[in-house]
C-alpha cells in the first residue's frame, strides 16, 4: 500500500497497523477491491473485517468516507469503530456541501457521544469553513442537536429513558444561571441557529454550495441589489429591492447563513459578477461494489489540487477583510441585544466529550475563536489542548479568560497546554505568567512565539492594551507545573520575569529553553541560581540554540548540580572560546557528579580533541554514572572515534548505555569508522547513520 509509518510512531503490532492502513485505503477508494475475487465476495466485508483494528482514523479533503460510514449497509462497521477508535484526525479539509456535513454530524455523534474517541486533531486547514469548524468543535465538546431531515439516533432513543435532565445539565455546564449571556455565547448561538435554519432550506434539494471568499460574502451583504448578491442568495424581498437598510439581526442571520452554506474558491470573484460553481471531485466507492460512477473531465483532479494549494492566495491581509463574526454579532462588545432571542447551546443535549483537542495550522477567525473560547469555559473533560499556529492575535485575551473560567469549574481536568504561534500581542514571558495564573493546576506547559509582534503589540500607539486582570505585578501563586517548554523570539528576555515563574513552580521536573537570549551572563546565572534554590525537584534541563560561549562558568555550575539527571546543550556554541581550558574543567566537573545520567551535546563543534577529552569521564578514578551520551553533529572523524573506542576498552568500563553519532564526518574513512563502531558496540549501544558530509557541506555553501 506504499504506507510508511512516521519515525516518531512506535508500532507495537504490525498486523494491526497494516489492517488500520488497509481500512483507510478501502474507505477512500485508493485500493480497488474489485481486482481481488476474495475481497469482492458478498459474504465478506473488507471494512468490517479490518474495523476492529482501527485505533486512528483520518478524514481528508471533502469529508471522504463520512457518508459511506453512516450508510445503513455499514452499520456494523460503525458500531465496531465506536468501540475501537480512539483518535480522529482531519487533514487538508476543503469546503463541503450540506449533505456531507450532515453525514459528518451523524458520524461524530456515533464515534464521540456513543463511542470511545478521546482525541480530535485538525491539521492544515488554510481557510476553515466556519460552519464545518464549529460543527466539529461543538460535537467534540459533547453537544448534540439532530440535523434537519436527518434520521433519529437509535442509541439516543435508548439512552433518553434514563436521561430526563439532559437540558438542565447542559444549562448548568454552560453557566446559564448568569442573567445575561456574553458575546461568545451569543455569537455561538447565532451561528448554530442560522446554520440549522440554512440546512433546513437546503436539505430537500441538496444542491452544491457556491464557493466564495469571506470578503466576497461581506460584499454580497453590503452591496444590496448587485448581481453577486442575487447569485448567492434567494430572490430579494421587496424591502431589500427598495434599498431599505436591514436591521442588525437580519444582517447577522444572513451573514452567518452565508458563512455556513457558501464555500471558498481559489480565486476572488469580482464584485459585479456571480462566481461560477465548480463540480465537486468524487471518489471511488468504498465497498468495492458496482454502481454508477460520475464521469469527469481530465482536469478535474488538477483543478482540485490547484484549489487546495492556492486557496489561501485569494485571501488578503486581515486588515483588509471584515470578519463574518463581527458582522454576525455587531461589535462583539455585549451591547447588541439582537442575538439575545436566538436559541443557545443550552437547548442542546450534552453527551460524552473528548479529552484531547489539537489544532495545527488552522487559522481562527473571530467567530471561530469566540466559539472555541465559549466551549472551553465549561469543557471540564478536556485534559490536553494544543493550539499551534492559529493566528490568535488579540483573541489570546479571550482564550485566557475562558481558561480562567474553566479552571474555576468543579472537576476541571486540563493538565497540558501546548501553545505556539508566529506572533503574540504579549511578550512570551508575560503570556507565560498569565497562563500560569489562569491555570494553577496545569502540569505541562509548552509555549512558543516565533517573532515579536509589531501589529499586535499593546505598546504600539492606537492598539488597546491587555485587560488589567491579565497583566499584573503581583506575585504568581504556587502552581503544579512539572514540565515547562519555552521557545523565544529574537531579543533579550528579562530574567526577573522568568525567575518569577520558576519560583512559583516548585514541582518543576523538566525545563526546556529554546533560543533564549539574556542581556548578560549575569542574567543567565540568575536564572540558574533560581533553579538551584527553588526547583529542587528538577531532573531534566535542556538548552537549544543559545549562545553560551560567554557562560562557561554557568555551565560548570550546572554540571556540578547533584539533582539534575539529564542536561542538554544543543547547538549552544560551548567550545567556541577557550576550548583548551574549558574542556578539562568540564570533564573534572562531570567526573565528580554521580547523579548525572545523560549528557547531550549535539552541534557544539566538539571535534576529535574534545571527544578524546570526554573519554576521561569514563576513567577508573571517575565517580560518574553517565549512561547516555549524544555527540551528534560535532565534526568527529573516524580516527578520533576509533581512539575513543580504544580508550574505553583500555579502562575496562562496562556497557554505559547509548551513544548517538548522527551527522558526523564518519564517511571520510568508511573502514576505520566501521572498526570504531564495532569496538564501541562491545561497550555501549551505538546509534549512527550514513551521512554524506561532503554533500551537506555543499548544501551549506550554496545557501551562504
Amino acid at each position: 500500500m506504499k504506507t510508511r509509518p512516521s519515525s516518531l510512531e512506535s508500532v507495537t503490532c504490525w498486523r494491526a497497523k497494516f489492517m488500520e492502513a488497509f481500512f483507510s485505503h478501502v474507505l477512500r477508494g485508493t485500493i480497488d477491491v474489485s481486482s481481488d475475487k476474495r475481497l469482492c465476495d458478498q459474504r465478506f466485508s473488507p471494512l468490517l473485517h479490518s474495523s476492529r483494528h482501527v485505533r486512528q482514523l483520518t478524514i481528508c479533503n471533502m469529508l471522504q468516507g463520512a457518508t459511506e460510514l453512516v450508510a445503513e449497509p455499514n452499520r456494523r462497521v460503525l458500531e465496531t469503530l465506536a468501540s475501537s477508535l480512539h483518535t480522529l484526525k482531519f487533514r487538508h479539509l476543503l469546503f463541503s456541501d450540506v449533505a456531507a456535513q450532515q453525514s459528518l454530524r451523524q458520524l461524530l455523534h456515533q464515534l464521540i457521544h456513543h463511542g470511545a474517541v478521546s482525541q480530535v486533531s485538525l491539521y492544515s486547514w488554510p481557510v476553515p469553513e466556519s460552519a464545518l469548524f464549529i460543527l466539529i468543535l461543538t460535537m467534540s465538546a459533547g453537544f448534540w442537536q439532530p440535523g434537519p431531515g436527518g434520521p433519529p439516533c437509535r442509541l439516543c432513543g435508548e439512552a433518553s429513558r434514563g436521561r430526563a435532565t439532559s437540558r438542565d445539565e447542559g444549562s448548568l455546564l454552560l453557566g446559564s444561571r448568569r442573567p445575561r449571556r456574553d458575546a461568545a455565547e451569543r455569537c455561538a448561538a447565532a451561528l448554530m441557529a442560522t446554520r440549522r435554519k440554512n440546512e433546513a432550506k437546503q436539505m430537500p434539494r441538496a444542491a452544491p454550495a457556491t464557493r466564495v471568499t469571506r470578503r466576497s460574502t461581506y460584499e454580497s451583504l453590503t452591496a444590496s441589489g448587485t448581481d453577486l448578491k442575487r447569485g448567492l442568495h434567494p430572490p430579494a424581498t421587496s424591502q431589500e429591492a427598495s434599498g431599505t437598510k436591514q436591521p442588525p439581526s437580519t444582517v447577522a442571520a444572513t451573514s452567518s447563513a452565508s458563512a455556513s452554506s457558501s464555500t471558498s474558491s481559489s480565486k476572488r470573484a469580482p464584485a459585479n459578477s456571480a462566481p461560477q460553481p465548480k463540480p465537486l471531485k468524487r471518489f471511488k466507492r468504498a465497498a468495492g461494489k458496482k454502481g454508477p460512477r460520475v464521469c469527469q473531465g481530465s482536469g478535474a483532479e488538477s483543478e482540485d489540487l490547484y484549489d487546495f494549494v492556492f486557496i489561501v492566495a485569494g485571501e488578503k491581509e486581515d486588515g483588509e477583510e471584515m470578519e463574518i463574526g463581527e458582522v454576525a454579532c455587531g461589535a462583539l462588545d455585549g451591547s447588541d441585544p439582537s442575538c439575545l432571542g436566538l436559541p443557545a447551546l443550552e437547548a442542546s443535549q450534552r453527551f460524552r466529550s473528548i479529552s484531547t483537542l489539537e489544532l495545527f495550522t488552522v487559522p481562527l477567525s473571530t467567530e471561530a475563536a469566540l466559539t472555541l473560547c465559549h466551549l472551553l469555559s465549561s469543557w471540564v473533560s478536556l485534559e490536553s489542548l494544543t493550539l499551534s499556529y492559529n493566528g490568535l492575535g488579540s483573541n489570546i485575551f479571550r482564550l485566557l479568560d475562558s481558561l480562567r473560567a474553566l479552571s474555576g469549574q468543579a472537576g476541571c481536568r486540563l493538565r497540558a497546554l501546548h501553545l505556539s504561534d508566529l506572533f503574540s500581542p504579549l511578550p512570551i514571558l508575560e503570556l507565560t505568567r498569565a497562563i500560569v495564573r489562569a491555570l494553577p493546576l496545569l502540569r505541562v506547559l509548552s509555549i512558543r512565539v516565533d517573532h515579536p509582534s509589531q501589529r499586535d503589540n499593546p505598546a504600539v500607539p492606537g492598539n488597546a492594551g491587555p485587560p488589567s486582570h491579565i497583566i499584573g505585578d503581583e506575585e504568581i501563586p504556587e502552581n503544579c507545573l512539572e514540565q515547562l517548554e519555552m521557545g523565544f523570539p529574537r531579543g533579550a528576555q528579562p530574567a526577573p520575569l522568568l525567575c518569577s515563574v520558576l519560583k512559583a513552580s516548585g514541582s518543576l521536573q523538566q525545563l526546556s529553553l529554546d533560543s533564549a537570549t539574556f542581556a548578560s551572563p549575569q542574567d543567565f546565572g540568575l536564572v540558574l541560581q533560581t533553579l538551584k534554590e527553588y526547583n529542587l525537584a528538577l531532573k531534566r534541563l535542556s538548552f537549544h540554540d543559545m549562545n553560551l560561549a560567554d557562560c562557561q562558568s554557568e555551565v560548570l555550575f550546572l554540571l556540578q548540580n547533584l539533582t539534575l539527571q539529564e542536561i542538554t546543550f544543543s547547538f549552544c556554541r560551548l567550545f567556541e572560546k577557550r576550548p583548551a581550558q574549558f574542556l578539562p574543567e568540564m570533564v573534572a566537573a562531570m567526573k565528580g557528579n554521580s547523579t548525572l545520567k545523560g549528557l547531550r551535546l549535539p552541534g557544539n563543534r566538539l571535534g576529535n580533541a574534545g571527544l578524546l577529552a570526554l573519554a576521561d569521564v569514563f576513567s577508573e578514578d571517575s565517580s560518574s554514572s553517565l549512561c547516555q551520551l549524544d555527540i551528534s553533529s560535532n565534526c568527529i572523524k573516524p580516527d578520533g572515534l576509533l581512539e575513543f573506542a580504544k580508550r574505553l576498552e583500555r579502562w575496562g568500563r562496562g556497557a554505559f548505555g547509548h551513544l548517538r553519532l548522527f551527522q558526523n564526518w564518519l564517511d571520510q574513512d568508511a573502514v576505520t569508522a566501521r572498526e570504531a563502531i564495532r569496538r564501541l558496540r562491545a561497550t555501549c549501544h551505538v546509534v549512527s547513520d550514513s551521512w554524506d558530509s561532503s554533500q551537506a557541506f555543499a548544501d551549506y555553501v550554496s545557501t551562504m
Side-chain angles (χ1 to χ4, degrees):
M1 293 181 292
K2 299 181 180 180
T3 299
R4 176 178 298 177
S6 172
S7 59
L8 302 177
E9 183 180 5
S10 179
V11 180
T12 56
C13 179
W14 282 101
R15 180 176 182 269
K17 185 65 180 178
F18 171 82
M19 297 300 289
E20 183 179 79
F22 176 75
F23 178 90
S24 299
H25 284 288
V26 173
L27 182 64
R28 298 172 191 167
T30 54
I31 289 184
D32 187 8
V33 296
S34 62
S35 61
D36 193 303
K37 295 181 179 179
R38 296 168 296 180
L39 298 181
C40 290
D41 193 338
Q42 297 295 332
R43 299 167 297 178
F44 173 77
S45 171
L47 290 179
L48 182 60
H49 179 72
S50 56
S51 59
R52 65 179 182 271
H53 300 283
V54 179
R55 300 293 181 268
Q56 174 180 300
L57 178 63
T58 302
I59 298 178
C60 303
N61 301 336
M62 291 179 288
L63 307 180
Q64 278 93 331
T67 304
E68 280 70 17
L69 286 177
V70 299
E72 183 60 27
N74 290 326
R75 177 179 174 181
R76 292 180 58 192
V77 176
L78 188 56
E79 292 176 352
T80 305
L81 282 180
S83 60
S84 66
L85 192 66
H86 295 160
T87 302
L88 188 60
K89 295 184 178 182
F90 296 89
R91 289 185 182 272
H92 310 303
L93 290 184
L94 298 178
F95 294 95
S96 57
D97 53 16
V98 177
Q101 292 188 22
Q102 177 65 21
S103 299
L104 180 64
R105 177 188 283 109
Q106 299 177 23
L107 180 65
L108 295 178
H109 179 58
Q110 182 86 5
L111 296 180
I112 297 178
H113 301 164
H114 298 295
V117 171
S118 59
Q119 176 178 338
V120 171
S121 304
L122 283 81
Y123 297 85
S124 302
W125 199 357
V127 186
E129 184 180 1
S130 297
L132 181 57
F133 180 76
I134 293 175
L135 171 64
I136 296 175
L137 279 186
T138 52
M139 297 290 286
S140 299
F143 293 100
W144 162 249
Q145 282 187 337
C153 177
R154 177 180 54 85
L155 297 178
C156 286
E158 297 174 356
S160 61
R161 301 186 183 95
R163 190 180 177 85
T165 61
S166 60
R167 180 171 300 184
D168 294 336
E169 283 182 15
S171 302
L172 179 61
L173 291 173
L174 284 173
S176 61
R177 293 174 294 178
R178 293 174 295 179
R180 182 180 181 183
R181 290 179 288 177
D182 55 11
E185 183 175 348
R186 289 187 285 108
C187 181
L191 291 168
M192 289 192 65
T194 52
R195 174 160 50 83
R196 291 194 303 269
K197 188 181 301 182
N198 179 71
E199 290 174 353
K201 295 178 180 179
Q202 296 196 14
M203 276 301 293
R205 60 191 180 193
T210 306
R211 303 184 178 187
V212 294
T213 60
R214 292 199 298 253
R215 183 175 179 88
S216 61
T217 304
Y218 171 68
E219 291 173 353
S220 68
L221 295 174
T222 56
S224 176
T226 58
D227 294 338
L228 177 58
K229 180 175 181 179
R230 288 195 297 269
L232 293 177
H233 301 284
T237 61
S238 59
Q239 183 181 9
E240 294 172 347
S242 61
T244 305
K245 184 177 180 180
Q246 297 178 350
S249 59
T250 307
V251 176
T254 309
S255 61
S256 299
S258 302
S260 302
S261 61
S262 62
T263 52
S264 177
S265 65
S266 59
K267 300 179 181 179
R268 187 181 304 277
N272 58 354
S273 62
Q276 299 296 328
K278 289 177 57 177
L280 296 180
K281 176 184 174 183
R282 307 306 299 170
F283 52 93
K284 299 179 181 179
R285 302 176 63 88
K289 298 180 180 180
K290 297 181 180 180
R293 296 190 179 185
V294 179
C295 297
Q296 306 179 38
S298 59
E301 184 173 356
S302 60
E303 287 178 2
D304 188 73
L305 179 60
Y306 180 90
D307 201 8
F308 168 71
V309 174
F310 295 100
I311 195 170
V312 75
E315 299 293 334
K316 294 186 178 180
E317 296 296 331
D318 294 339
E320 299 178 2
E321 293 186 345
M322 181 97 175
E323 295 290 348
I324 297 177
E326 297 177 359
V327 180
C329 289
L332 300 175
D333 57 356
S335 60
D336 183 11
S338 61
C339 296
L340 292 177
L342 294 174
L345 293 177
E346 294 98 322
S348 305
Q349 290 182 329
R350 189 151 195 176
F351 290 85
R352 175 186 175 274
S353 55
I354 63 173
S355 59
T356 302
L357 177 65
E358 297 177 339
L359 304 180
F360 295 96
T361 322
V362 181
L364 297 181
S365 60
T366 301
E367 71 272 19
L370 286 173
T371 305
L372 174 63
C373 293
H374 174 58
L375 293 174
L376 285 177
S377 61
S378 61
W379 203 330
V380 293
S381 67
L382 193 64
E383 300 177 4
S384 177
L385 174 63
T386 300
L387 300 176
S388 179
Y389 297 98
N390 305 118
L392 287 173
S394 58
N395 288 319
I396 189 68
F397 302 127
R398 297 187 179 98
L399 177 65
L400 292 174
D401 287 336
S402 65
L403 293 178
R404 190 188 308 275
L406 175 62
S407 179
Q409 294 277 356
C412 173
R413 304 178 187 175
L414 187 61
R415 296 296 181 266
L417 176 61
H418 304 269
L419 181 63
S420 58
D421 218 328
L422 289 175
F423 303 98
S424 171
L426 285 177
I428 183 172
L429 290 176
E430 290 285 358
L431 181 58
T432 304
R433 287 165 55 92
I435 293 176
V436 172
R437 284 199 197 99
L439 298 169
L441 298 180
L442 203 64
R443 301 291 179 87
V444 178
L445 174 59
S446 176
I447 181 170
R448 169 180 291 275
V449 178
D450 292 344
H451 306 285
S453 177
Q454 298 296 331
R455 182 180 61 180
D456 292 328
N457 193 343
V460 177
N463 286 355
S468 58
H469 65 278
I470 292 180
I471 300 299
D473 296 331
E474 65 274 8
E475 293 186 1
I476 304 176
E478 187 176 355
N479 57 74
C480 302
L481 208 59
E482 297 179 356
Q483 180 178 342
L484 177 60
E485 300 177 0
M486 302 181 67
F488 296 86
R490 292 186 178 182
Q493 304 298 326
L497 290 182
L498 179 57
C499 292
S500 64
V501 176
L502 297 177
K503 290 178 181 179
S505 308
S507 303
L508 195 64
Q509 300 180 11
Q510 182 174 343
L511 175 64
S512 176
L513 302 180
D514 188 350
S515 306
T517 304
F518 299 98
S520 63
Q522 289 74 21
D523 284 355
F524 183 58
L526 177 63
V527 174
L528 299 185
Q529 188 65 33
T530 303
L531 291 175
K532 182 179 180 180
E533 296 179 4
Y534 292 90
N535 305 106
L536 303 180
L538 190 65
K539 303 299 181 184
R540 296 179 176 86
L541 185 59
S542 175
F543 301 102
H544 175 72
D545 195 16
M546 295 174 56
N547 186 2
L548 301 182
D550 296 323
C551 303
Q552 294 181 351
S553 59
E554 288 75 14
V555 172
L556 295 178
F557 176 79
L558 279 176
L559 293 176
Q560 295 170 355
N561 191 324
L562 298 182
T563 62
L564 291 175
Q565 297 181 0
E566 183 179 307
I567 303 179
T568 299
F569 297 102
S570 176
F571 296 89
C572 290
R573 303 163 65 176
L574 284 182
F575 311 109
E576 187 175 287
K577 297 181 179 180
R578 301 175 54 250
Q581 295 79 16
F582 176 60
L583 270 171
E585 297 173 351
M586 180 178 175
V587 170
M590 294 175 60
K591 291 174 67 174
N593 191 334
S594 59
T595 60
L596 188 64
K597 306 295 183 182
L599 179 64
R600 292 177 168 83
L601 301 171
N604 284 285
R605 294 186 175 272
L606 188 64
N608 285 354
L611 178 62
L612 296 180
L614 283 180
D616 195 35
V617 175
F618 306 98
S619 60
E620 298 175 352
D621 59 343
S622 174
S623 59
S624 172
S625 57
L626 193 68
C627 58
Q628 293 184 2
L629 180 62
D630 187 352
I631 51 176
S632 303
S633 303
N634 270 291
C635 308
I636 297 174
K637 298 181 180 180
D639 54 343
L641 186 63
L642 181 60
E643 182 62 26
F644 177 77
K646 291 180 179 180
R647 293 192 181 187
L648 293 183
E649 290 178 347
R650 183 163 57 250
W651 286 320
R653 287 292 297 261
F656 69 86
H658 293 263
L659 178 65
R660 300 174 65 89
L661 297 170
F662 291 110
Q663 296 185 357
N664 280 298
W665 296 351
L666 302 183
D667 60 323
Q668 295 184 358
D669 188 349
V671 177
T672 305
R674 284 194 297 267
E675 176 64 18
I677 292 177
R678 185 188 65 81
R679 291 172 176 263
L680 286 172
R681 283 176 176 167
T683 307
C684 59
H685 177 68
V686 181
V687 182
S688 183
D689 61 352
S690 56
W691 187 60
D692 189 354
S693 59
S694 60
Q695 182 62 39
F697 181 75
D699 295 340
Y700 172 75
V701 172
S702 65
T703 58
M704 292 180 61

